[in-house]
Amino acid sequence: MNWITLEKEAQVEEIIQKSFEKPQLIYKHSISCPTSSMAKHRLEKSVAPETIDFYYLDILNHRPISNKIASDFQVRHESPQILLIKDGRSVYNNSHHRIQMEDIVAEAM
């Protein structure tokens, strides 16, 4: 998996703009949480489609970005959490044990 590190709030606007061309996925991760590690590992062992850009956000080091994402996309913050962004809005989000590559791919179509 080729993660794009999300480290600046301005990148959220870039993700929104890119989502009109190609689905964008934001994965919110807590490095201190075993469930986050398990969800990340499950994603990484799956085949990541090239039709989606995958962003990785370390919420412990970048909590303001996580807050911006929750506000901009009107979703409650959770960790681990994924948001699939298409056409400028979150069309799918899920968290914890429900994070599955198969579901992401199905929603991205």
Side-chain angles (χ1 to χ4, degrees):
M1 169 151 320
N2 188 20
W3 292 109
I4 302 166
T5 306
L6 183 50
E7 298 178 312
K8 298 177 183 168
E9 286 188 33
Q11 285 177 278
V12 176
E13 291 304 317
E14 293 172 15
I15 290 168
I16 291 170
Q17 293 308 310
K18 288 180 179 180
S19 76
F20 288 95
E21 302 293 323
K22 177 180 184 180
Q24 308 290 300
L25 182 113
I26 299 171
Y27 172 67
K28 294 165 57 173
H29 181 75
S30 171
I31 59 172
S32 66
C33 173
T35 303
S36 278
S37 294
M38 183 177 60
K40 184 174 182 273
H41 176 72
R42 197 169 44 243
L43 288 175
E44 289 175 336
K45 74 177 187 175
S46 301
V47 176
E50 292 182 17
T51 56
I52 303 171
D53 290 333
F54 288 81
Y55 286 83
Y56 169 87
L57 175 63
D58 174 352
I59 64 163
L60 295 181
N61 289 312
H62 300 289
R63 187 57 190 244
I65 299 171
S66 180
N67 292 341
K68 178 175 177 46
I69 290 166
S71 174
D72 286 1
F73 297 110
Q74 309 262 320
V75 295
R76 188 182 84 188
H77 165 77
E78 296 189 68
S79 172
Q81 182 178 40
I82 56 164
L83 289 86
L84 184 65
I85 313 303
K86 286 175 65 176
D87 298 325
R89 61 186 185 87
S90 175
V91 296
Y92 175 75
N93 72 79
N94 223 326
S95 66
H96 297 84
H97 300 288
R98 294 177 307 273
I99 295 173
Q100 302 287 335
M101 185 65 76
E102 303 82 33
D103 297 336
I104 293 166
V105 171
E107 292 294 332
M109 299 183 122

